[in-house]
């Protein structure tokens, strides 16, 4: 038996970072930037008002107060998006809206609240006046956003290798970019195996079960940024497996579920050996002990021969999801050019004792909660690898090391966070 770390290292050694593509910025969310992004503009483009108010010369406000306002002549109004043709000279002011460029001559913006504008409107019932009273002394630069203070022309704004989040999408848009070069998303072909499986579109005959793995695995592929390609269900015979497999040979990775336990070991091994190289492993973990990994002979987008990594997940619904999180997720992230391949973990106080009987690393489905600055983990109930609801109730996986035969309630355990809900 090999360890989880050895299995992961081996899998990662078979996957490479994919090529780049150019996509509309909104589609790039979660992808890795494949170019340096520099700016050829200043953002903001010009000095502009941070508040609605009056653009004035700070010198004109000397000695101003509620009791003795400094009165200035209003010579223009400037809205966001417009540029005033007037120049502020001593004794004058220009009414200005947030975001409007600061007019020539002005060195500060006095906000409405620091003027007598409201009283004036009340008294005259007119929306504009040709005079304004300034009610306090202000310093030069007040309420002015400087040209280029966010992004200076010529500067490197986003580095190659950055993961694109909503803020980066916003930055690209603010630079006027509609498309961006990123590392492309892997296409992951997904094949379920088992005579007992029925597709969700069909009625359920006696003795059969719905194929859930295809959908949970496809959802995981999508969640982590890949593109699932569903190959359907293969029966437990060589012909059926071959026919389905061949439809996935243009993918970047192939994931099968089922057919790797002792009973059907040979069938899958024989077929996959014909189509490539396959190694069957026993990984020292629970759930998910049987795991197949190898490469299949496939073709690239230009039709040239190429090896496709193949991950054979166990059929049990929980095992296939847990092994996906541990092995397929890092492979997908690596293909996408990501550097941080691990899920976040927390140290949690285990709220109930657990027994580990056979020296494997155990991943227990758990509900992790934060109380008074500590994390606590309790199990989701029965931990059978067929109990998919245990996965649905969980937000974390408690890790029991292979060398621990028991962990007592109150002990601290490493816990992989599957979901990092708000509140954490
Ligand atoms: P296997 O690894 O093929 O022996 O399957 C182990 C268990 O998982 C069996 O009870 C299967 O019926 C179940 N199983 C296998 N594939 C799927 C699937 N795609 N959806 C739901 N259950 C499955
Ligand atoms: Mg099976």
């Amino acid at each position: 038996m090999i360890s989880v770390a050895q299995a992961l290292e081996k899998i990662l050694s078979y996957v490479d970072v994919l090529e780049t593509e150019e996509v509309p910025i909104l589609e790039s969310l979660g992808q890795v930037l494949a170019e340096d992004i520099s700016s050829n503009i200043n953002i903001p483009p010009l000095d502009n008002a941070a508040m609605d108010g009056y653009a004035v010369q700070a010198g004109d406000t000397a000695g101003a107060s509620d009791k003795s306002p400094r009165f200035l002549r209003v010579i223009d109004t400037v809205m966001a998006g417009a540029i005033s043709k007037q120049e502020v000279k001593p004794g004058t002011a220009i009414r200005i809206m947030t975001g409007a460029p600061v007019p020539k001559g002005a060195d500060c913006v006095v906000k409405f609240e620091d003027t007598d504008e409201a009283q004036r409107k009340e008294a005259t019932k007119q929306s504009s006046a040709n005079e304004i009273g300034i009610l306090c002394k202000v310093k030069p630069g007040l309420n002015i956003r400087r040209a280029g203070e966010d992004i200076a022309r010529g500067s490197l704004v986003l580095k190659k290798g950055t993961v694109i989040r909503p803020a980066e999408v916003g930055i690209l848009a603010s630079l006027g970019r509609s498309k961006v070069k990123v590392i492309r998303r892997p296409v992951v072909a997904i094949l379920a195996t088992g005579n007992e499986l029925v597709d969700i579109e069909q009625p359920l005959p006696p003795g059969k079960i719905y194929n859930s793995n295809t959908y949970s695995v496809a959802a995981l592929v999508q969640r982590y940024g890949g593109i699932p390609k569903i190959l359907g269900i293969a029966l437990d015979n060589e012909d059926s497996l071959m026919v389905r497999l061949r439809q996935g040979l243009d993918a970047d990775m192939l994931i099968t579920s089922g057919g790797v336990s002792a009973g059907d070991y040979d069938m899958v091994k024989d077929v996959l050996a014909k189509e490539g190289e396959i190694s069957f492993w026993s990984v020292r973990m629970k759930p998910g002990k049987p795991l197949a990994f190898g490469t299949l002979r496939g073709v690239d987008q230009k039709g040239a021969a190429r090896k496709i990594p193949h991950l054979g997940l166990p059929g049990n619904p929980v095992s296939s999801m847990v092994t996906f999180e541990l092995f397929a997720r890092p492979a997908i992230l690596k293909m996408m050019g990501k550097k941080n391949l691990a899920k976040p973990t927390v140290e949690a106080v285990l709220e109930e004792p657990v027994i580990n009987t056979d020296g494997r690393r155990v991943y227990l489905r758990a509900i992790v909660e934060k109380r008074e600055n500590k994390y606590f983990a309790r199990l989701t109930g029965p931990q059978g690898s067929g109990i998919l609801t245990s996965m649905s109730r969980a937000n974390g996986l408690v890790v029991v090391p292979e060398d621990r035969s028991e962990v007592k309630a109150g002990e601290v355990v490493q816990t992989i966070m599957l979901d990092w809900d708000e509140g954490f």
Side-chain angles (χ1 to χ4, degrees):
M1 276 208 271
I2 63 172
S3 71
V4 171
Q6 287 168 322
L8 180 59
E9 196 189 315
K10 180 94 174 166
I11 291 166
L12 291 179
S13 77
Y14 276 90
V15 300
D16 293 317
V17 178
L18 298 174
E19 320 82 76
T20 61
E21 62 177 355
E22 206 174 39
V23 297
I25 57 170
L26 196 49
E27 285 173 25
S28 73
L29 186 64
Q31 285 181 280
V32 172
L33 198 55
E35 58 175 329
D36 282 339
I37 303 285
S38 304
S39 177
N40 53 14
I41 54 173
N42 272 327
I43 301 176
L46 299 167
D47 287 2
N48 67 89
M51 301 281 246
D52 294 336
Y54 286 84
V56 305
Q57 293 190 347
D60 272 350
T61 69
S65 71
D66 279 352
K67 302 242 162 48
S68 72
R70 288 284 169 268
F71 294 104
L72 301 173
R73 192 158 58 84
V74 179
I75 55 170
D76 197 9
T77 291
V78 57
M79 313 290 280
I83 291 182
S84 175
K85 292 193 184 70
Q86 305 299 319
E87 182 175 344
V88 173
K89 299 210 169 87
T92 67
I94 290 179
R95 199 166 179 266
I96 190 166
M97 302 304 139
T98 302
V102 176
K104 234 188 269 160
D107 62 8
C108 64
V109 172
V110 181
K111 62 181 193 286
F112 284 157
E113 295 84 339
D114 292 335
T115 70
D116 64 0
E117 172 160 300
Q119 292 111 283
R120 234 171 239 278
K121 271 189 189 159
E122 189 59 35
T124 64
K125 304 282 177 225
Q126 279 172 358
S127 62
S128 62
N130 47 22
E131 187 189 62
I132 192 72
I134 306 294
L135 307 180
C136 67
K137 177 180 183 301
V138 300
K139 291 198 175 120
L142 186 76
N143 295 328
I144 293 181
R145 301 192 287 220
R146 293 295 172 196
E149 73 172 18
D150 185 4
I151 295 172
R153 180 186 292 132
S155 65
L156 174 63
V157 191
L158 300 173
K159 271 202 195 137
K160 191 171 165 174
T162 301
V163 178
I164 297 182
R165 300 167 307 157
E168 283 72 36
V169 173
I171 284 179
L172 290 165
S174 73
L175 296 172
R177 293 281 303 245
S178 62
K179 289 191 165 180
V180 65
K181 202 165 136 194
V182 288
I183 297 169
R184 74 173 173 86
R185 299 174 185 278
V187 174
V188 181
I190 301 163
L191 178 62
T193 70
N195 289 346
E196 73 281 27
L197 301 179
V198 173
D199 191 56
I200 51 175
E201 307 288 342
Q202 304 299 319
L204 190 67
K208 306 278 183 184
I209 58 169
Y210 280 122
N211 165 23
S212 64
N213 290 351
T214 288
Y215 297 94
S216 54
V217 168
L220 285 165
V221 167
Q222 231 166 27
R223 175 182 207 180
Y224 296 127
I227 301 167
K229 176 175 179 174
I230 293 177
L231 302 180
I233 300 166
L235 297 174
D236 288 319
N237 68 64
E238 285 197 25
D239 284 349
S240 177
L241 200 61
M242 288 283 236
V243 168
R244 296 278 174 179
L245 266 183
R246 289 209 178 103
Q247 284 161 9
L249 295 182
D250 57 351
D252 299 298
M253 183 157 91
L254 180 75
I255 293 183
T256 55
S257 76
V260 286
S261 51
D264 25 34
Y265 183 102
D266 283 340
M267 188 268 302
V268 173
K269 191 176 83 175
D270 290 348
V271 171
L272 295 178
K274 276 185 204 159
E275 300 283 317
E277 298 160 35
I278 186 89
S279 29
F280 276 84
W281 299 336
S282 269
V283 182
R284 211 178 298 128
M285 64 179 287
K286 185 182 172 179
K289 183 164 132 194
L291 188 76
F293 180 74
T295 55
L296 291 173
R297 281 186 297 275
V299 284
D300 68 12
Q301 282 159 339
K302 293 180 191 116
R306 169 185 77 104
K307 287 182 173 179
I308 311 168
H310 164 239
L311 196 54
L313 307 180
N316 275 308
V318 173
S319 313
S320 62
M321 288 194 76
V322 171
T323 49
F324 184 105
E325 293 278 6
L326 294 176
F327 303 116
R329 176 181 180 275
I332 288 172
L333 297 191
K334 183 176 176 187
M335 285 191 269
M336 292 183 71
K338 300 204 176 173
K339 296 281 185 278
N340 179 9
L341 307 183
K343 277 273 204 191
T345 59
V346 297
E347 297 196 328
V349 178
L350 191 63
E351 296 193 287
E352 57 198 284
V354 297
I355 305 286
N356 180 11
T357 47
D358 53 3
R360 288 189 273 161
R361 187 178 296 186
V362 185
Y363 295 87
L364 300 165
R365 275 72 69 206
I367 297 162
V368 183
E369 272 172 359
K370 193 175 187 186
R371 298 196 292 270
E372 286 157 15
N373 279 330
K374 263 190 184 170
Y375 293 101
F376 293 87
R378 61 178 194 278
L379 305 192
T380 53
Q383 296 285 308
S385 55
I387 300 178
L388 192 51
T389 50
S390 74
M391 206 57 196
S392 165
R393 280 194 292 272
N395 63 344
L397 290 175
V398 162
V399 185
V400 181
E402 37 278 64
D403 59 358
R404 294 292 308 275
S405 57
E406 93 170 291
V407 181
K408 296 196 177 75
E411 285 194 63
V412 170
V413 282
Q414 291 296 323
T415 304
I416 300 171
M417 295 308 299
L418 293 172
D419 296 286
W420 200 264
D421 274 346
E422 262 147 39
F424 280 105

CSV table of all heavy atoms in Angstrom, one decimal, residues 279-312:
chain,number,residue,atom,x,y,z
A,279,SER,N,-1.7,1.5,-13.6
A,279,SER,CA,-1.3,0.9,-12.3
A,279,SER,C,-2.4,0.9,-11.3
A,279,SER,O,-3.2,1.9,-11.3
A,279,SER,CB,-0.1,1.7,-11.7
A,279,SER,OG,-0.2,3.0,-12.1
A,280,PHE,N,-2.6,-0.2,-10.7
A,280,PHE,CA,-3.6,-0.2,-9.6
A,280,PHE,C,-3.0,-0.1,-8.3
A,280,PHE,O,-1.9,-0.7,-8.0
A,280,PHE,CB,-4.4,-1.6,-9.7
A,280,PHE,CG,-5.5,-1.5,-10.7
A,280,PHE,CD1,-5.3,-1.8,-12.0
A,280,PHE,CD2,-6.8,-1.2,-10.3
A,280,PHE,CE1,-6.3,-1.7,-12.9
A,280,PHE,CE2,-7.8,-1.1,-11.2
A,280,PHE,CZ,-7.6,-1.4,-12.5
A,281,TRP,N,-3.5,0.8,-7.5
A,281,TRP,CA,-2.9,1.0,-6.2
A,281,TRP,C,-3.9,0.7,-5.1
A,281,TRP,O,-5.1,0.9,-5.3
A,281,TRP,CB,-2.6,2.5,-6.0
A,281,TRP,CG,-1.6,3.0,-7.0
A,281,TRP,CD1,-0.7,2.4,-7.7
A,281,TRP,CD2,-1.5,4.4,-7.3
A,281,TRP,NE1,0.0,3.2,-8.5
A,281,TRP,CE2,-0.5,4.5,-8.3
A,281,TRP,CE3,-2.2,5.6,-7.0
A,281,TRP,CZ2,-0.1,5.7,-8.8
A,281,TRP,CZ3,-1.8,6.8,-7.5
A,281,TRP,CH2,-0.7,6.8,-8.4
A,282,SER,N,-3.3,0.3,-4.0
A,282,SER,CA,-4.0,0.4,-2.8
A,282,SER,C,-3.4,1.6,-2.0
A,282,SER,O,-2.3,1.6,-1.7
A,282,SER,CB,-3.8,-0.9,-2.0
A,282,SER,OG,-4.8,-1.8,-2.3
A,283,VAL,N,-4.3,2.6,-1.8
A,283,VAL,CA,-3.8,3.7,-1.0
A,283,VAL,C,-4.2,3.6,0.4
A,283,VAL,O,-5.3,3.2,0.7
A,283,VAL,CB,-4.4,5.0,-1.6
A,283,VAL,CG1,-3.8,6.2,-0.9
A,283,VAL,CG2,-4.1,5.1,-3.1
A,284,ARG,N,-3.2,3.9,1.3
A,284,ARG,CA,-3.5,3.7,2.7
A,284,ARG,C,-4.5,4.7,3.2
A,284,ARG,O,-4.1,5.6,4.0
A,284,ARG,CB,-2.1,3.8,3.5
A,284,ARG,CG,-2.0,2.9,4.7
A,284,ARG,CD,-0.7,3.0,5.3
A,284,ARG,NE,0.4,2.5,4.5
A,284,ARG,CZ,1.5,3.2,4.2
A,284,ARG,NH1,1.7,4.4,4.7
A,284,ARG,NH2,2.4,2.7,3.4
A,285,MET,N,-5.7,4.7,2.8
A,285,MET,CA,-6.7,5.7,3.2
A,285,MET,C,-8.1,5.0,3.3
A,285,MET,O,-8.3,4.0,2.7
A,285,MET,CB,-6.7,6.8,2.3
A,285,MET,CG,-7.1,6.5,0.9
A,285,MET,SD,-7.2,7.9,-0.2
A,285,MET,CE,-8.6,8.8,0.4
A,286,LYS,N,-8.9,5.7,4.0
A,286,LYS,CA,-10.3,5.2,4.1
A,286,LYS,C,-11.2,6.5,4.2
A,286,LYS,O,-11.0,7.3,5.1
A,286,LYS,CB,-10.4,4.4,5.4
A,286,LYS,CG,-11.8,3.7,5.6
A,286,LYS,CD,-11.7,3.0,6.9
A,286,LYS,CE,-13.1,2.5,7.3
A,286,LYS,NZ,-13.0,1.7,8.6
A,287,PRO,N,-12.2,6.6,3.4
A,287,PRO,CA,-12.6,5.7,2.3
A,287,PRO,C,-11.6,5.9,1.1
A,287,PRO,O,-10.8,6.8,1.1
A,287,PRO,CB,-14.0,6.2,2.0
A,287,PRO,CG,-13.9,7.7,2.2
A,287,PRO,CD,-13.0,7.8,3.5
A,288,GLY,N,-11.8,4.9,0.2
A,288,GLY,CA,-11.0,5.1,-1.1
A,288,GLY,C,-9.8,4.2,-1.2
A,288,GLY,O,-8.9,4.6,-2.0
A,289,LYS,N,-9.7,3.1,-0.6
A,289,LYS,CA,-8.5,2.3,-0.7
A,289,LYS,C,-8.2,1.9,-2.1
A,289,LYS,O,-7.0,2.1,-2.5
A,289,LYS,CB,-8.7,1.0,0.2
A,289,LYS,CG,-7.5,0.1,0.2
A,289,LYS,CD,-7.6,-0.8,1.4
A,289,LYS,CE,-7.3,-2.3,0.9
A,289,LYS,NZ,-7.7,-3.2,2.0
A,290,PRO,N,-9.1,1.4,-2.9
A,290,PRO,CA,-8.7,1.0,-4.3
A,290,PRO,C,-8.7,2.2,-5.2
A,290,PRO,O,-9.7,3.0,-5.2
A,290,PRO,CB,-9.8,0.0,-4.7
A,290,PRO,CG,-11.0,0.3,-3.9
A,290,PRO,CD,-10.5,1.1,-2.7
A,291,LEU,N,-7.6,2.5,-5.8
A,291,LEU,CA,-7.6,3.7,-6.7
A,291,LEU,C,-6.7,3.3,-7.9
A,291,LEU,O,-5.7,2.7,-7.8
A,291,LEU,CB,-6.9,4.8,-6.0
A,291,LEU,CG,-6.9,6.2,-6.6
A,291,LEU,CD1,-8.3,6.8,-6.5
A,291,LEU,CD2,-5.9,7.1,-6.0
A,292,ALA,N,-7.2,3.5,-9.1
A,292,ALA,CA,-6.5,3.2,-10.3
A,292,ALA,C,-5.9,4.5,-10.9
A,292,ALA,O,-6.5,5.5,-10.8
A,292,ALA,CB,-7.4,2.6,-11.3
A,293,PHE,N,-4.7,4.4,-11.3
A,293,PHE,CA,-4.1,5.6,-12.0
A,293,PHE,C,-3.2,5.1,-13.2
A,293,PHE,O,-2.5,4.1,-13.1
A,293,PHE,CB,-3.3,6.4,-11.0
A,293,PHE,CG,-2.7,7.6,-11.8
A,293,PHE,CD1,-3.5,8.6,-12.1
A,293,PHE,CD2,-1.4,7.6,-12.1
A,293,PHE,CE1,-3.0,9.7,-12.8
A,293,PHE,CE2,-0.9,8.7,-12.8
A,293,PHE,CZ,-1.7,9.8,-13.2
A,294,GLY,N,-3.3,5.8,-14.2
A,294,GLY,CA,-2.4,5.5,-15.4
A,294,GLY,C,-2.6,6.5,-16.5
A,294,GLY,O,-3.0,7.6,-16.2
A,295,THR,N,-2.1,6.1,-17.7
A,295,THR,CA,-2.3,7.0,-18.8
A,295,THR,C,-2.9,6.3,-19.9
A,295,THR,O,-2.7,5.1,-20.1
A,295,THR,CB,-0.9,7.6,-19.3
A,295,THR,OG1,-0.1,6.5,-19.5
A,295,THR,CG2,-0.3,8.5,-18.2
A,296,LEU,N,-3.7,7.0,-20.7
A,296,LEU,CA,-4.3,6.4,-21.9
A,296,LEU,C,-3.7,7.0,-23.1
A,296,LEU,O,-3.4,8.2,-23.1
A,296,LEU,CB,-5.8,6.6,-21.9
A,296,LEU,CG,-6.6,5.9,-20.8
A,296,LEU,CD1,-8.1,6.4,-20.8
A,296,LEU,CD2,-6.6,4.4,-21.1
A,297,ARG,N,-3.7,6.2,-24.2
A,297,ARG,CA,-3.2,6.8,-25.4
A,297,ARG,C,-4.4,7.6,-26.1
A,297,ARG,O,-5.4,7.0,-26.4
A,297,ARG,CB,-2.8,5.7,-26.4
A,297,ARG,CG,-1.4,5.2,-26.1
A,297,ARG,CD,-0.9,4.2,-27.2
A,297,ARG,NE,-1.8,3.0,-27.2
A,297,ARG,CZ,-1.6,1.9,-26.5
A,297,ARG,NH1,-0.7,1.9,-25.6
A,297,ARG,NH2,-2.4,0.9,-26.6
A,298,GLY,N,-4.1,8.9,-26.2
A,298,GLY,CA,-5.2,9.7,-26.8
A,298,GLY,C,-4.6,10.6,-27.9
A,298,GLY,O,-3.5,10.3,-28.4
A,299,VAL,N,-5.4,11.6,-28.3
A,299,VAL,CA,-5.0,12.5,-29.3
A,299,VAL,C,-5.1,14.0,-28.8
A,299,VAL,O,-6.0,14.2,-28.0
A,299,VAL,CB,-5.8,12.4,-30.6
A,299,VAL,CG1,-5.4,11.1,-31.4
A,299,VAL,CG2,-7.3,12.3,-30.3
A,300,ASP,N,-4.2,14.8,-29.3
A,300,ASP,CA,-4.4,16.2,-28.9
A,300,ASP,C,-5.3,16.9,-29.9
A,300,ASP,O,-5.8,16.3,-30.9
A,300,ASP,CB,-3.0,16.9,-28.8
A,300,ASP,CG,-2.3,17.1,-30.1
A,300,ASP,OD1,-2.9,16.9,-31.1
A,300,ASP,OD2,-1.1,17.4,-30.0
A,301,GLN,N,-5.4,18.3,-29.8
A,301,GLN,CA,-6.4,19.0,-30.6
A,301,GLN,C,-6.0,19.0,-32.1
A,301,GLN,O,-6.8,19.2,-33.0
A,301,GLN,CB,-6.5,20.4,-30.1
A,301,GLN,CG,-7.4,20.5,-28.9
A,301,GLN,CD,-7.2,21.8,-28.1
A,301,GLN,OE1,-6.2,22.4,-28.1
A,301,GLN,NE2,-8.2,22.1,-27.2
A,302,LYS,N,-4.7,18.7,-32.4
A,302,LYS,CA,-4.2,18.7,-33.8
A,302,LYS,C,-4.2,17.2,-34.3
A,302,LYS,O,-3.7,17.0,-35.3
A,302,LYS,CB,-2.9,19.3,-33.9
A,302,LYS,CG,-2.9,20.8,-33.6
A,302,LYS,CD,-1.5,21.4,-33.8
A,302,LYS,CE,-1.5,22.8,-33.2
A,302,LYS,NZ,-0.6,23.0,-32.1
A,303,GLY,N,-4.6,16.3,-33.4
A,303,GLY,CA,-4.7,14.9,-33.9
A,303,GLY,C,-3.4,14.1,-33.6
A,303,GLY,O,-3.3,13.0,-33.9
A,304,ALA,N,-2.4,14.8,-32.9
A,304,ALA,CA,-1.2,14.1,-32.6
A,304,ALA,C,-1.3,13.2,-31.4
A,304,ALA,O,-2.2,13.4,-30.5
A,304,ALA,CB,-0.1,15.1,-32.4
A,305,ALA,N,-0.5,12.1,-31.3
A,305,ALA,CA,-0.6,11.2,-30.2
A,305,ALA,C,-0.2,11.8,-28.9
A,305,ALA,O,0.6,12.7,-28.8
A,305,ALA,CB,0.3,10.0,-30.4
A,306,ARG,N,-0.8,11.4,-27.8
A,306,ARG,CA,-0.6,12.1,-26.5
A,306,ARG,C,-1.1,11.2,-25.4
A,306,ARG,O,-2.0,10.3,-25.6
A,306,ARG,CB,-1.5,13.4,-26.6
A,306,ARG,CG,-1.6,14.1,-25.4
A,306,ARG,CD,-2.6,15.3,-25.7
A,306,ARG,NE,-4.0,14.7,-25.8
A,306,ARG,CZ,-4.9,14.9,-24.8
A,306,ARG,NH1,-4.6,15.6,-23.7
A,306,ARG,NH2,-6.1,14.4,-24.9
A,307,LYS,N,-0.5,11.3,-24.2
A,307,LYS,CA,-1.0,10.4,-23.1
A,307,LYS,C,-1.9,11.2,-22.2
A,307,LYS,O,-1.6,12.3,-21.9
A,307,LYS,CB,0.2,10.0,-22.3
A,307,LYS,CG,1.1,9.0,-22.9
A,307,LYS,CD,2.2,8.6,-22.0
A,307,LYS,CE,3.0,7.4,-22.6
A,307,LYS,NZ,4.1,7.0,-21.8
A,308,ILE,N,-3.1,10.6,-21.9
A,308,ILE,CA,-4.0,11.3,-21.1
A,308,ILE,C,-4.0,10.6,-19.7
A,308,ILE,O,-4.1,9.4,-19.6
A,308,ILE,CB,-5.5,11.1,-21.6
A,308,ILE,CG1,-5.6,11.4,-23.1
A,308,ILE,CG2,-6.5,11.9,-20.8
A,308,ILE,CD1,-6.9,10.9,-23.7
A,309,PRO,N,-3.8,11.5,-18.6
A,309,PRO,CA,-3.9,10.9,-17.3
A,309,PRO,C,-5.3,10.3,-17.0
A,309,PRO,O,-6.3,11.0,-17.3
A,309,PRO,CB,-3.5,12.0,-16.4
A,309,PRO,CG,-3.5,13.2,-17.2
A,309,PRO,CD,-3.6,12.9,-18.6
A,310,HIS,N,-5.3,9.2,-16.4
A,310,HIS,CA,-6.6,8.5,-16.1
A,310,HIS,C,-6.6,8.2,-14.6
A,310,HIS,O,-5.7,7.6,-14.0
A,310,HIS,CB,-6.8,7.2,-16.9
A,310,HIS,CG,-7.9,6.4,-16.3
A,310,HIS,ND1,-7.6,5.1,-15.8
A,310,HIS,CD2,-9.2,6.6,-16.0
A,310,HIS,CE1,-8.8,4.6,-15.3
A,310,HIS,NE2,-9.7,5.5,-15.5
A,311,LEU,N,-7.7,8.7,-13.9
A,311,LEU,CA,-7.8,8.4,-12.5
A,311,LEU,C,-9.1,7.5,-12.4
A,311,LEU,O,-10.2,7.9,-12.8
A,311,LEU,CB,-8.0,9.8,-11.8
A,311,LEU,CG,-7.8,9.8,-10.3
A,311,LEU,CD1,-6.5,9.3,-9.9
A,311,LEU,CD2,-7.9,11.3,-9.9
A,312,GLY,N,-8.9,6.4,-11.8
A,312,GLY,CA,-10.0,5.4,-11.6
A,312,GLY,C,-10.5,5.5,-10.1
A,312,GLY,O,-9.8,5.0,-9.2
